[in-house]
């Protein structure tokens, strides 16, 4: 994957399809599990960080799990162990899931992510901070513009899901920008701290707050930061220093990840709305090959479906 330069492309087109697919982790749920995969990975990441696991380890572990889940969904390490697979068998399946989607990921980073699945690190679980649950309960604003009514797209994503996906995107984009992936990951996880307390009224609401906006954002962000003990609090605060601009490699990687996720979230709704039966039955083989396919095809024809 070509690296960022001041005169060339400012984003890696080769990663587009992977980023689209990873965004769907906001929408994948399973019986017995609270929230989407993205929401749960967000909580796992913060639990590990609070428990004292090195941020670099957490960034690689959560990103690797997200890549494997893109195709395997909740067929994760815990499930595979529960149904009797050994550690080597389970890790081979998870690596295969990662490999199915990671062909365009920077080779060195891809190997580090594969290693995180081959030999899972010992994550030290700590208490999940209160802001994690608050962000999971806080819906995103939808499409807003000052002077115009908002466009709501249901179901809305929540802020935990958005932050997790931005953090994972940031890790994958970091080699292109020559950025430190751990810093970008932490910045992504923490960039909406203020919305743990502050309802999201979008761009419209922010403009109506006027000069009060940034003091309110700072105050609400500090409430979340105060839930973290040192030295993690200072580590996260330092990572958040890249948020205001694109003057650093880490700032560019973060803002690329953030803008990509915001727009792909809307594109997902439009993609679903424009889905056709030709795609579902033809390209995606909803009625797929098997011993009864011929019979099923005749049933659909006789029922005039679609």
């Amino acid at each position: 994957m070509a690296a960022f330069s001041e005169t060339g492309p400012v984003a890696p087109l080769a990663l587009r399809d992977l980023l689209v697919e990873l965004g769907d982790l906001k929408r994948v749920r399973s019986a017995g599990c609270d929230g989407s995969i993205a929401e749960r990975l967000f909580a796992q990441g913060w639990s590990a960080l609070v428990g004292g696991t090195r941020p670099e380890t957490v960034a690689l572990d959560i990103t690797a799990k997200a890549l494997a889940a893109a195709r395997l969904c909740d067929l994760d390490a815990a499930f595979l162990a529960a149904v009797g697979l050994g550690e080597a068998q389970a890790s081979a399946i998870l690596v295969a899931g990662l490999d199915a989607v990671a062909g365009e990921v920077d080779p060195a980073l891809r190997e580090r992510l594969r290693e995180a699945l081959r030999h899972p690190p010992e994550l030290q679980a700590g208490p999940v901070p209160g802001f994690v649950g608050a962000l999971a309960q806080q819906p995103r604003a939808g499409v807003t513009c000052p002077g115009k009514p908002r466009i709501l797209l249901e179901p809305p994503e929540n802020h935990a899901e958005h932050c997790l996906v931005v953090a994972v995107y940031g890790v994958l984009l970091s080699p292109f920008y020559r950025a430190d992936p751990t810093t970008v990951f932490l910045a992504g996880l923490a960039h909406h701290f203020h919305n743990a307390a502050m309802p999201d009224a979008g761009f419209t609401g922010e403009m109506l707050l006027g000069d009060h906006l940034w003091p309110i954002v700072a105050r609400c962000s500090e409430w979340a930061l105060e839930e973290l003990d040192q030295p993690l609090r200072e580590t996260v605060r330092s990572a958040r220093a890249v948020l205001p601009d694109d003057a650093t490699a880490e700032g560019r990687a973060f803002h690329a990840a953030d803008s990509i996720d915001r727009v792909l979230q809307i594109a997902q709704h439009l993609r679903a709305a424009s889905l056709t039966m030709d795609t579902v039955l033809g390209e995606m083989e909803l009625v797929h090959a098997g011993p009864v396919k011929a019979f099923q095809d005749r049933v659909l024809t006789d029922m005039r479906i679609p």
Side-chain angles (χ1 to χ4, degrees), residues 161-250:
E161 292 167 331
H162 170 65
C163 287
L164 183 281
V165 171
V166 170
V168 168
Y169 282 5
V171 171
L172 299 175
L173 292 166
S174 287
F176 181 82
Y177 297 100
R178 299 188 182 94
D180 173 48
T182 303
T183 298
V184 181
F185 179 82
L186 290 177
L189 280 191
H191 78 286
H192 274 282
F193 264 4
H194 57 287
N195 286 117
M198 180 181 180
D200 189 354
F203 185 30
T204 300
E206 292 175 351
M207 292 302 97
L208 289 172
L209 286 174
D211 292 341
H212 300 293
L213 171 63
W214 292 115
I216 291 172
V217 168
R219 189 173 302 119
C220 293
S221 297
E222 196 62 32
W223 290 342
L225 280 164
E226 287 172 357
E227 294 189 48
L228 304 175
D229 292 334
Q230 297 291 15
L232 179 59
R233 184 191 303 175
E234 194 54 42
T235 300
V236 173
R237 192 190 301 278
S238 177
R240 281 172 48 88
V242 310
L243 299 179
D245 54 49
D246 62 358
T248 63
E250 289 72 27

Side-chain angles (χ1 to χ4, degrees), residues 84-97:
L85 272 64
E87 187 175 314
Q89 294 170 312
S91 64
I93 291 171
L94 295 172
V95 170

Side-chain angles (χ1 to χ4, degrees), residues 18-182:
L18 171 58
L19 301 186
V20 170
E21 193 164 353
L22 285 170
D24 283 337
L25 296 181
K26 300 174 189 175
R27 294 169 277 276
V28 178
R29 291 169 170 76
S30 296
C33 300
D34 292 332
S36 66
I37 290 177
E39 185 178 319
R40 284 180 270 125
L41 287 177
F42 183 72
Q44 284 181 38
W46 278 113
S47 174
L49 288 166
V50 170
T53 308
R54 294 175 61 242
E56 179 182 14
T57 300
V58 177
L60 292 172
D61 177 78
I62 296 297
T63 302
K65 287 175 177 174
L67 284 168
R71 295 289 170 87
L72 288 166
C73 299
D74 273 315
L75 301 179
D76 57 11
F79 171 81
L80 296 173
V83 295
L85 272 64
E87 187 175 314
Q89 294 170 312
S91 64
I93 291 171
L94 295 172
V95 170
L98 183 150
D99 287 344
V101 298
E104 298 297 337
V105 173
D106 174 80
L109 174 59
R110 182 172 64 237
E111 187 52 36
R112 296 179 74 193
L113 295 170
R114 295 175 93 240
E115 189 63 18
L117 295 176
R118 286 196 204 98
H119 303 289
E122 289 288 336
L123 299 183
Q124 305 300 316
V128 178
F131 62 72
V132 170
L135 288 168
Q137 293 174 0
Q138 192 76 273
R140 301 269 288 157
V143 183
T144 68
C145 182
K148 300 177 182 178
R150 78 174 58 204
I151 300 172
L152 289 174
L153 298 168
E154 296 289 341
E157 64 179 325
N158 64 52
H159 279 272
E161 292 167 331
H162 170 65
C163 287
L164 183 281
V165 171
V166 170
V168 168
Y169 282 5
V171 171
L172 299 175
L173 292 166
S174 287
F176 181 82
Y177 297 100
R178 299 188 182 94
D180 173 48
T182 303

